[in-house]
Amino acid sequence: MGSNAVQCKMSRSTIAKLAAVSLCLLACWTAAAQMEITGSWAGRNHEFLTGDGLPVDFTGIPLNEEGRIRALSYSESQLSMIERQCQGWPPFYFVQGPFGLKIWSETDPLKGNVISYTIGAWEDRPPIAVWMDGRPHPSKYAEHTRAGFTTGAWEGNTLVTYTTHIKAGFLRKTGAPSSDQATMTARFYRHGDILTVLAIIEDPIYLAQPFLVSRSFQVSATPLSPIGPPCVSTYEGNTGETAPHYLPEKNPFVDEMTAKYGVPRDAAIGKPETLYPEYRRKISPVAPVR
Amino acid sequence: MRALLAATLVTLSSVAALPRAAGQGRGGPAGAGAAAKASAAMDMTGYWVAYVTEDWRFRMVTPRKGDYQAVPMTEQARKTADAWDPAADEASGNQCRAYGAAAIMRVPARFHITWQDDNTLRVDSDSGMQTRLFHFNSPPAPPGERTWQGYSTAQWQRPASLKVATTNMRSGYLRKNGVPYSENAAVTEYFDIAPLPSGGQVLMVTAIVDDPQYLQQPFIVSSQFLKEADGSKWDPTPCSAK
């Protein structure tokens, strides 16, 4: 009886240890099924993502009518207004700007799981915290910020993030607008030393269709240091009595893309039908030599 | 206690089976041997349309000569591109130079993806009327005539990605205004499919072009395609050099 009791106790103890070890192994495997995305990623700027070479370049952005009117009313002199100086750096900018990425994680010291990833700030773009601990997004009435509020989860070995609570700003620095209802779903694909991020931006106020942007980064052998601080507004001579803008049909730059690159006006002002191959049948294929 | 023991054994047996699965999870290749169609990591078949939200002015219209922004060209590449002559390309039967494997996925086009056989995935484009064949369970390119689309080997990357490596191409253009790649260029592509939050699917293709002759560093671009219900908008159009 006493011997059985000891055996039973040992068995329970052994099984408990085995269970603990196996659960630990399972947890390790779960992490292994994911990809390491932390570290320094150098930007590979082989696509002209910023698209801010000319004032009216909304090519590739599927603006709706309201978005187009708003975009064409934009004057770059608005950047002299304190409250608008930072609108060019929403979270989307991390896949549009020329910079690399510095990503790090915060982990639970006891369980080892990732609580959050941080995509470091760069120049005027604020850092983006990606919460991985299952917390919900805040109330729709909560504060909207330049970085927004982002949660993330792994789908297989793809990190999928979802950003809401973004302060109204730009889809592109040429003034294509984004509203405070815009959201961004981003998917991080790692293939070897290449990290490609696909950002799907939706905005019920200014977009007719999702705006897709993707960008690749490459592992950097040298560390990238996130720098800031994020955009800080300063007085630049505008007392706030006027908001520089163009009235409808009065934007003087609306045909610059046509004159310089042979891009039709409909494409320059972001009409959704211009994003599909069949639109090429409507246009002259060769840009003028200037 | 029996329940605990059973759960432990199940867990341990799962863990014991992990090395192979974990290797796949980290982007490792699928095991060779099984027919690629039967062991497909994802379903790429169907009609996909290029959704040109990036590089519009380099893709939808032919850029002017000398407009090479963002391509890491060598000096030799720049000289070659500066000599671009689309009329001469047409006259010499080289009007498909901008439709080769290193550039075709940047062409505004529709793509029809089908299984040619159990180990060959076929990708047809309507613009340029090109055909790419992705050979699974295949050795590297056999010696043979160089073609616009070259020879592509393919490998599923678990859990849901496709890697394609292409060599043996004829020299062509990365952009339609004569930005060159040489016949020694190699293209590595990764295909990933994602759902759109508002419905539908997007195919993303990340392409890496290596060409020491004409590129200072690998040229990396990623392109998006939306799934279409059918081929009703399929519009075969021959290559054009202009």
Side-chain angles (χ1 to χ4, degrees):
Chain A
M1 184 75 179
S3 174
N4 285 343
V6 170
Q7 276 184 350
C8 186
K9 190 178 178 184
M10 285 181 67
S11 298
R12 280 181 178 163
S13 171
T14 305
I15 290 169
K17 285 177 184 171
L18 280 172
V21 169
S22 60
L23 285 173
C24 179
L25 284 171
L26 195 61
C28 294
W29 172 76
T30 303
Q34 301 163 4
M35 285 289 184
E36 180 59 84
I37 63 163
T38 60
S40 295
W41 298 91
R44 289 291 174 253
N45 302 315
H46 302 155
E47 298 176 69
F48 187 48
L49 299 177
T50 51
D52 58 356
L54 292 176
V56 179
D57 180 356
F58 313 133
T59 53
I61 305 177
L63 293 168
N64 64 18
E65 198 58 28
E66 191 169 347
R68 190 168 307 109
I69 290 170
R70 175 82 188 270
L72 286 168
S73 75
Y74 174 72
S75 162
E76 290 195 354
S77 294
Q78 284 183 17
L79 297 179
S80 65
M81 302 171 69
I82 287 178
E83 67 269 36
R84 300 193 183 200
Q85 280 171 22
C86 299
Q87 60 189 348
W89 293 279
F92 329 126
Y93 196 64
F94 91 101
V95 286
Q96 293 175 300
F99 307 112
L101 301 179
K102 175 79 170 189
I103 303 175
W104 65 91
S105 63
E106 298 292 339
T107 55
D108 185 309
L110 293 179
K111 300 174 184 171
N113 57 297
V114 173
I115 297 170
S116 68
Y117 290 106
T118 300
I119 301 170
W122 210 294
E123 290 282 344
D124 291 309
R125 179 180 61 71
I128 300 171
V130 180
W131 296 103
M132 302 294 291
D133 55 0
R135 70 182 65 188
H137 283 244
S139 156
K140 66 179 180 180
Y141 303 111
E143 182 186 15
H144 286 51
T145 63
R146 293 286 168 217
F149 184 89
T150 303
T151 53
W154 288 95
E155 291 182 9
N157 56 6
T158 303
L159 175 65
V160 183
T161 67
Y162 180 57
T163 305
T164 60
H165 294 76
I166 304 166
K167 204 174 180 72
F170 291 158
L171 290 168
R172 187 177 286 168
K173 288 171 76 176
T174 50
S178 65
S179 79
D180 61 3
Q181 294 181 44
T183 61
M184 174 174 68
T185 303
R187 304 181 75 88
F188 293 69
Y189 299 97
R190 180 171 182 172
H191 296 295
D193 67 346
I194 302 293
L195 178 70
T196 301
V197 183
L198 168 65
I200 303 168
I201 302 163
E202 299 183 296
D203 187 343
I205 305 299
Y206 293 132
L207 287 176
Q209 301 167 15
F211 177 42
L212 273 51
V213 183
S214 64
R215 180 151 183 246
S216 292
F217 304 85
Q218 193 162 18
V219 166
S220 173
T222 54
L224 275 66
S225 298
I227 53 173
C231 183
V232 176
S233 300
T234 58
Y235 177 72
E236 293 192 358
N238 189 313
T239 58
E241 294 172 355
T242 60
H245 66 282
Y246 298 111
L247 290 170
E249 308 291 331
K250 298 294 183 187
N251 191 313
F253 305 109
V254 71
D255 287 321
E256 270 206 322
M257 288 290 287
T258 307
K260 190 167 184 182
Y261 299 122
V263 172
R265 180 189 280 197
D266 280 356
I269 62 176
K271 290 198 171 181
E273 64 268 26
T274 65
L275 276 59
Y276 295 93
E278 54 268 32
Y279 180 69
R280 291 210 300 178
R281 287 203 173 276
K282 298 181 180 177
I283 59 178
S284 168
V286 183
V289 176
R290 193 180 191 193
Chain B
M1 191 175 88
R2 281 184 181 171
L4 181 61
L5 180 61
T8 302
L9 289 173
V10 167
T11 307
L12 282 173
S13 63
S14 302
V15 170
L18 290 181
R20 185 167 142 257
Q24 293 171 349
R26 293 185 67 81
K37 183 179 179 181
S39 63
M42 58 183 180
D43 183 11
M44 290 169 53
T45 61
Y47 289 91
W48 300 88
V49 60
Y51 192 50
V52 187
T53 57
E54 299 164 338
D55 275 0
W56 199 100
R57 74 175 175 87
F58 298 109
R59 298 168 64 189
M60 292 290 277
V61 294
T62 303
R64 62 187 165 84
K65 184 185 286 190
D67 189 1
Y68 313 134
Q69 193 165 25
V71 184
M73 302 164 72
T74 61
E75 195 54 40
Q76 186 185 359
R78 190 167 293 274
K79 286 178 183 169
T80 302
D82 286 344
W84 170 59
D85 183 348
D89 283 342
E90 294 271 8
S92 61
N94 285 314
Q95 62 271 27
C96 289
R97 275 186 166 164
Y99 299 79
I104 187 67
M105 303 311 286
R106 289 299 269 182
V107 172
R110 284 183 164 76
F111 294 86
H112 186 207
I113 303 180
T114 55
W115 283 101
Q116 177 161 294
D117 57 47
D118 283 351
N119 278 305
T120 310
L121 196 62
R122 176 182 173 125
V123 181
D124 290 294
S125 72
D126 64 353
S127 181
M129 300 166 65
Q130 299 293 300
T131 297
R132 304 185 69 187
L133 297 176
F134 297 166
H135 302 277
F136 291 81
N137 298 320
S138 169
E145 186 186 4
R146 294 179 182 277
T147 61
W148 296 125
Q149 301 309 324
Y151 188 87
S152 300
T153 57
Q155 207 171 39
W156 295 120
Q157 302 279 297
R158 302 297 177 189
S161 186
L162 173 66
K163 179 181 181 180
V164 175
T166 303
T167 55
N168 218 39
M169 296 175 287
R170 291 176 70 179
S171 60
Y173 298 151
L174 292 172
R175 285 186 182 159
K176 213 163 180 181
N177 60 343
V179 176
Y181 63 88
S182 76
E183 64 178 20
N184 294 318
V187 184
T188 304
E189 294 167 292
Y190 295 96
F191 293 72
D192 293 284
I193 293 177
L196 284 172
S198 51
Q201 284 184 306
V202 56
L203 171 68
M204 190 177 71
V205 182
T206 303
I208 305 154
V209 182
D210 283 287
D211 185 359
Q213 183 176 347
Y214 287 134
L215 293 171
Q216 295 184 40
Q217 58 179 246
F219 179 61
I220 307 172
V221 292
S222 49
S223 311
Q224 289 82 240
F225 306 86
L226 302 181
K227 185 85 180 273
E228 293 195 316
D230 53 43
S232 58
K233 294 181 179 175
W234 186 253
D235 183 23
T237 310
C239 298
S240 168
K242 295 177 181 174

